[in-house]
Amino acid sequence: MIIFATTNCGFAPLHKNTNSMEIFENIEIEKEETPVAFLIQEALFEQAAFTKNAQNSLRIKPTIKNSYGVITTENEITRYSVTLNVDYILYNKETKKIVTKNNVSATSDYSAAVTFTGFATEIARRDTYERLADTVAEKMITEILIANQIKYSP
């Protein structure tokens, strides 16, 4: 009879470690009054327990780049490509010391036909922006978690 022994390498995903997510309870998100910034802020709040009046502050600066190309020779369908870039800084509000600073980006596409109404095209664009906001929020959270793990690792 052969017995197999397994060992655990100790790997645990950052998002699954509830203790690692506690750092967001000490981070507030600065308000930026643009529609895409609002979508990013909402996505961040959905994915982590950010708070108000915290010791640290997260400042985001999003920019969007749109490009398009015609898919058919009759100009029936236009393909739009949207890239969302976000520069962000996490800093201590009292000392103004930067905890981490980085840039994340994501790209997504949507199509619009000439037969689409303006409403249908706007919904497709809005869905793309929401998808991009979710993606960059997840990337920011992951990078903040990694920076925090590195900072406090032995």
Side-chain angles (χ1 to χ4, degrees):
M1 179 179 199
I2 299 174
I3 299 175
F4 292 100
T6 60
T7 59
N8 186 348
C9 69
F11 173 78
L14 291 172
H15 287 272
K16 300 296 181 190
N17 182 349
T18 55
N19 293 338
S20 67
M21 295 299 284
E22 289 176 359
I23 66 165
F24 296 102
E25 295 173 1
N26 198 25
I27 299 172
E28 73 177 41
I29 302 170
E30 290 184 12
K31 296 281 188 211
E32 181 168 324
E33 302 300 325
T34 64
V36 74
F38 175 78
L39 292 174
I40 296 166
Q41 291 162 5
E42 289 296 307
L44 286 166
F45 280 121
E46 287 175 8
Q47 296 179 28
F50 290 92
T51 188
K52 295 182 181 179
N53 300 319
Q55 178 182 356
N56 298 307
S57 186
L58 179 64
R59 179 180 301 153
I60 63 172
K61 177 131 178 69
T63 55
I64 292 181
K65 179 184 175 193
N66 290 294
S67 60
Y68 68 94
V70 175
I71 295 178
T72 62
T73 56
E74 295 82 25
N75 293 335
E76 294 170 343
I77 299 175
T78 304
R79 182 95 175 144
Y80 296 91
S81 182
V82 183
T83 301
L84 174 59
N85 292 303
V86 181
D87 294 316
Y88 68 91
I89 299 172
L90 177 63
Y91 67 96
N92 181 291
K93 292 189 327 188
E94 186 177 313
T95 66
K96 305 297 184 208
K97 180 181 175 191
I98 294 175
V99 177
T100 189
K101 176 180 178 180
N102 210 342
N103 175 287
V104 294
S105 65
T107 301
S108 187
D109 300 310
Y110 68 97
S111 298
V114 285
T115 57
F116 278 12
T117 64
F119 179 74
T121 301
E122 181 61 26
I123 294 300
R125 185 189 66 78
R126 173 77 181 192
D127 289 346
T128 299
Y129 282 21
E130 288 176 0
R131 224 177 9 261
L132 290 171
D134 286 342
T135 301
V136 296
E138 184 175 344
K139 287 181 178 183
M140 285 190 292
I141 288 169
T142 301
E143 289 181 5
I144 291 168
L145 284 168
I146 291 169
N148 188 62
Q149 294 288 76
I150 292 169
K151 183 178 176 182
Y152 296 109
S153 292

